[in-house]
Amino acid sequence: MELMAGEALLWRGRPSWRAMMSFWFSVLLLAIVVFVLGLVIGQGTWSGLVAAVILVIGLIKGWMERVATLYTITDRRIIIRKGILSRHERAAHIDRVQNVNLTQSFFDRIFGVGTLDFDTAGTEDSDFKFSGIADPDELRQKIDNEYVRRSREMPSPGV
């Protein structure tokens, strides 16, 4: 993703590996269940192989989702880019952002990750979500600081 002329990068990142912990825990639990069931029915070798395949596929899937997602905030735009072979990119002008909502589950708080949801003017959907962001409070504060800086630079109405 190229920046436009005169555009300044404020933040760029991917979902944190810590955000994938619940997914990877679920994959591990599934692999353990498959292995134990295989031992119970007397197919320990096959169940071990299937459990290993489940683990490998789960790790690759989680890693691919993380690597395939790139979030960018500039002084002009918010951008979400997803994909490796094919690509889907969504962008909105920063002036259209009305609210930035932070959501953290109990486990998100433990792992220090969260989701920032950008409410943009003129859209009903919530496609501008930065999911699994490390230190979401810090990023929201950076966005607030940029908003304050921009509002000070804008001329006052009636001047």
Side-chain angles (χ1 to χ4, degrees), residues 46-90:
W46 284 107
S47 66
L49 181 61
V50 171
V53 168
I54 289 171
L55 285 173
V56 169
I57 290 173
L59 288 172
I60 290 172
K61 181 183 183 306
W63 178 80
M64 294 278 293
E65 283 184 21
R66 182 174 181 268
V67 169
T69 303
L70 180 65
Y71 303 126
T72 305
I73 299 175
T74 72
D75 60 345
R76 295 184 186 172
R77 301 179 289 163
I78 58 170
I79 304 154
I80 300 174
R81 178 185 275 183
K82 292 186 177 191
I84 293 177
L85 298 177
S86 63
R87 181 163 290 148
H88 179 75
E89 187 172 296
R90 295 212 20 129

Side-chain angles (χ1 to χ4, degrees), residues 5 8 19 25 40 64 68 85 98 103 106 108 120 125 128 134 143 145:
F25 180 74
V40 168
M64 294 278 293
L85 298 177
Q98 295 177 327
T103 306
F106 173 73
D108 287 344
T120 55
D125 55 6
F128 288 100
I143 295 165
N145 291 342

Side-chain angles (χ1 to χ4, degrees), residues 10 17 20 31-32 49 92 115 157:
L10 298 177
W17 65 270
M20 301 300 294
I32 290 170
L49 181 61
T115 298

